[in-house]
Amino acid sequence: MNRPNIVILGAGYGGIMTAVNLQKSMSSEEAKITLVNKHDYHYQTTWLHENAAGTLHHDRTRLAINDVVDFNKINFVQDTVKSIDPKSKTVKLEDGELNYDYLVIGLGFESATFGIDGIEEHALTIQNINSARKIRDHIEYNFAQYNLERGEREDLITIGVGGAGFTGIEFVAELANRIPELCQEYDVPREKVRLINVEAGPTALAGFDPELVEYAMNRLEEKALNSN
Ligand SMILES: Cc1cc2nc3c(=O)[nH]c(=O)nc-3n(C[C@H](O)[C@H](O)[C@H](O)COP(=O)(O)OP(=O)(O)OC[C@H]3O[C@@H](n4cnc5c(N)ncnc54)[C@H](O)[C@@H]3O)c2cc1C
């Protein structure tokens, strides 16, 4: 009997949950299961803002795929998906090709820029481990550079965060925790650092209970005052 060929693209939240559930519920005689991912690790996307702010090391956010996926049951391919052709039921990878009977796509998200000019070219985005690590390093580099520029470049210690949605506010809160540590580490006067959150809507955390929004805003303001 021909075993169905199940291909899962991406080992993020969706992909890893699918793989783990299928390995529990199916034997390798019932289906051939292949999991494709760029890296050999899974990362907790929901913690990336902490990695980007530098309040949590990225190694605590990722785990090896073979710690949760049984490679005897699931064929793991570390590669990058280039295209999918539903007609021929084929997935093109950077280094090969896969055929499927069933395809699960869990390749993640793209950051929204709302068409704002310059965001894509000039801003850093929280996307994955590599981009979060870059944001942390960029902030630290600029704090280190500030005194080398004799404190004349306040732009180096001015951080703008675009969007006051859930992730934007989470990131701002982590930065509010991190900035006092950075000031101490790099001998930067706390009162010189500016953290600016820009939002087009009339309120932060749109869609949340107004009482919770007020609580969150008060807590953030308190943090800013306390760390001065
Ligand atoms: C900072 C932050 C906080 C968040 N907080 C929450 C929250 O509290 N609650 C909530 O519900 N959601 C939250 N989200 C959103 C949530 O993380 C995503 O909706 C969810 O991760 C999407 O799951 P996914 O499986 O589609 O993709 P992801 O979890 O993003 O995984 C995609 C996987 O595909 C891999 N990949 C990508 N492209 C390729 C390619 N071309 N070839 C091979 N592999 C590839 C990636 O390496 C990754 O392993 C948050 C997101 C962020 C960034």
Side-chain angles (χ1 to χ4, degrees):
M1 202 181 84
N2 271 348
R3 291 182 304 164
N5 214 351
I6 304 173
V7 173
I8 306 165
L9 304 181
Y13 272 115
I16 210 99
M17 285 302 291
T18 308
V20 167
N21 280 315
L22 285 179
Q23 82 186 4
K24 276 190 206 152
S25 60
M26 281 183 149
S27 70
S28 27
E29 284 83 46
E30 283 176 285
K32 182 181 174 209
I33 305 169
T34 304
L35 174 65
V36 183
N37 199 60
K38 263 185 197 174
H39 316 284
D40 60 358
Y41 57 82
H42 162 83
Y43 53 86
Q44 305 273 106
T45 327
T46 51
W47 294 353
L48 288 176
H49 60 288
E50 297 179 47
N51 306 147
T55 49
L56 181 75
H57 193 271
H58 53 268
D59 280 342
R60 297 194 48 204
T61 294
R62 61 180 169 177
L63 55 109
I65 290 174
N66 69 359
D67 279 351
V68 280
V69 171
D70 182 349
F71 286 1
N72 294 316
K73 283 187 165 177
I74 292 185
N75 171 36
F76 176 65
V77 177
Q78 186 177 346
D79 207 334
T80 299
V81 176
K82 294 310 241 183
S83 63
I84 299 166
D85 181 4
K87 270 197 193 140
S88 61
K89 294 197 163 185
T90 315
V91 177
K92 272 216 166 65
L93 306 175
E94 208 160 75
D95 281 323
E97 214 171 80
L98 290 169
N99 296 312
Y100 62 84
D101 296 308
Y102 298 96
L103 184 67
V104 178
I105 305 173
L107 294 171
F109 56 90
E110 282 188 9
S111 302
T113 63
F114 297 99
I116 300 167
D117 274 352
I119 291 245
E120 207 162 328
E121 305 88 297
H122 304 297
L124 300 167
T125 54
I126 300 177
Q127 199 87 32
N128 48 42
I129 293 277
N130 292 330
S131 68
R133 195 160 40 191
K134 184 172 171 184
I135 292 171
R136 183 202 62 201
D137 286 357
H138 183 74
I139 292 172
E140 292 206 8
Y141 178 88
N142 282 351
F143 269 73
Q145 188 65 20
Y146 177 75
N147 280 325
L148 289 172
E149 305 267 355
R150 297 178 301 279
E152 285 165 10
R153 296 258 327 267
E154 287 188 7
D155 58 302
L156 291 171
I157 50 167
T158 301
I159 306 170
V161 177
F166 191 53
T167 303
I169 290 293
E170 277 191 312
F171 184 46
V172 166
E174 288 304 319
L175 284 173
N177 289 336
R178 179 72 179 131
I179 285 169
E181 293 171 2
L182 287 169
C183 288
Q184 205 165 25
E185 209 171 319
Y186 293 98
D187 305 316
V188 171
R190 171 65 189 91
E191 66 280 4
K192 296 277 183 196
V193 180
R194 292 182 73 208
L195 175 56
I196 304 163
N197 188 204
V198 184
E199 167 60 49
T203 171
L205 294 170
F208 283 81
D209 183 325
E211 254 182 59
L212 289 177
V213 175
E214 200 186 326
Y215 174 79
M217 291 304 97
N218 289 340
R219 285 285 291 132
L220 277 178
E221 272 167 24
E222 246 172 59
K223 263 179 191 293
L225 293 174
N226 288 343
S227 52
N228 258 332

